[in-house]
Amino acid sequence: MFETINEVAAFLRSKGITSPDTGIVLGTGLGKLVNEIEIEVSLDYADIPNFPVSTVESHHGKLIYGNLLGHKVLAMQGRFHIYEGYSLQQVTLPIRVMKVLGVKWLLLSNAAGAINKTYGKGDLMLLDDHINLLPANPLTGKNIDELGPRFPDMSCPYSPVLNNLMTNSAHDLNITLHHGVYAVVAGPNLEARAEYRYLGMIGADVVGMSTVPEVIIANHMGLPCAAVSVITDLCDPDNLVPARLEDILETAAKAEVQLIRLFKNVIQNL
């Protein structure tokens, strides 16, 4: 795996991706931030050796490098998931590569369903903590000592510095930003009513199918990260309405305007 990470990093350097300082992962329906970037390099995932390929239609599957508000950013326009059939080592490979390339900060986004009944469609939630309900861990197997310790601490998985910046930026921009707990499940099916009740009982505010593996890897490597969920559907087990992908993408697209404003403000103040 370490050889693979370095091979991918070497390939990207050969394409002109040389000095990124901020990494960005754009989730379901949240890819338009790349329109704000002065693009220097754009690569399809399929053209990057050893990279997985996005199989979800709402994920564009491009790696974008360029300038954003005076910062060199490396943005994933679409990510990978365990439900696509990839191992968690494959899912998190891009985060490993970002760190090796020199990324100092990592911002992630995702679409999520609201367990917390005070949240509404289109709201944003800053991840304060998470609950990992995946059947595997991206650190399973031989530890890569060059990248991090065997038993990384997860007492504070989301950077207080970045979360404070997120909170202050949201306040300055008059954006409502909830703080809560994200539960990750394998998917791809959405949850049953009893599962939504269970998630609420164990302390989850939202539920999704991504982000946590990437955060685990970021913490393993000492890469400060922050993540924001866009609430795309409501998961009230007593008033459950079948979720449609079209509605989820429509809600994500509307909320994306505020997410872009928030991310840009944070990046500007890094």
Side-chain angles (χ1 to χ4, degrees):
M1 175 57 74
F2 192 49
E3 290 178 2
T4 297
I5 293 165
N6 284 312
E7 286 173 6
V8 175
F11 172 81
L12 295 179
R13 288 190 191 100
S14 75
K15 296 298 182 180
I17 300 175
T18 55
S19 56
D21 58 65
T22 304
I24 305 171
V25 179
L26 300 170
T28 300
L30 301 171
K32 290 185 179 178
L33 178 63
V34 300
N35 297 335
E36 307 288 326
I37 300 172
E38 298 173 23
I39 298 175
E40 296 181 10
V41 181
S42 176
L43 295 170
D44 290 336
Y45 292 161
D47 295 331
I48 303 173
N50 299 307
F51 236 60
V53 177
S54 292
T55 64
V56 182
E57 61 183 82
S58 58
H59 291 247
H60 291 80
K62 289 183 178 293
L63 191 66
I64 307 292
Y65 174 69
N67 295 290
L68 179 60
L69 300 170
H71 289 261
K72 290 287 189 181
V73 300
L74 185 57
M76 292 180 64
Q77 194 178 26
R79 57 151 57 86
F80 313 111
H81 310 80
I82 192 172
Y83 65 72
E84 295 176 82
Y86 293 122
S87 71
L88 288 180
Q89 285 76 19
Q90 291 174 298
V91 166
T92 56
L93 172 65
I95 308 303
R96 295 288 203 196
V97 172
M98 283 185 179
K99 174 66 173 177
V100 169
L101 287 171
V103 164
K104 299 177 181 65
W105 307 98
L106 179 64
L107 306 179
L108 306 108
S109 67
N110 61 61
I115 305 295
N116 190 319
K117 295 180 183 179
T118 67
Y119 295 178
K121 280 188 177 183
D123 285 358
L124 303 182
M125 188 198 83
L126 180 66
L127 275 65
D128 179 65
D129 209 341
H130 64 240
I131 300 170
N132 186 3
L133 299 174
L134 294 177
N137 189 293
L139 295 175
T140 297
K142 187 179 185 300
N143 186 57
I144 304 175
D145 296 330
E146 295 89 342
L147 296 180
R150 170 77 280 188
F151 301 106
D153 180 73
M154 292 293 289
S155 60
C156 189
Y158 300 91
S159 165
V161 172
L162 288 176
N163 274 14
N164 284 336
L165 270 176
M166 287 280 188
T167 301
N168 293 336
S169 293
H171 179 268
D172 293 343
L173 297 170
N174 197 28
I175 294 173
T176 299
L177 183 65
H178 304 289
H179 293 62
V181 176
Y182 177 96
V184 61
V185 295
N189 61 282
L190 301 186
E191 291 69 48
R193 288 172 297 161
E195 290 171 324
Y196 286 134
R197 291 192 184 95
Y198 167 72
L199 290 169
M201 289 171 62
I202 65 174
D205 292 293
V206 302
V207 59
M209 304 172 190
S210 67
T211 305
V212 171
E214 296 149 323
V215 170
I216 291 172
I217 288 301
N219 276 264
H220 179 251
M221 297 185 298
L223 176 59
C225 63
V228 175
S229 291
V230 173
I231 308 304
T232 54
D233 54 298
L234 305 179
C235 308
D236 179 357
D238 298 318
N239 299 282
L240 202 56
V241 176
R244 300 190 322 132
L245 180 59
E246 295 84 356
D247 296 334
I248 288 173
L249 294 178
E250 182 180 352
T251 302
K254 291 178 180 177
E256 184 179 28
V257 176
Q258 299 287 56
L259 180 72
I260 289 172
R261 292 178 64 219
L262 180 62
F263 271 26
K264 286 176 64 178
N265 194 271
V266 169
I267 290 169
Q268 192 169 28
N269 287 287
L270 282 175

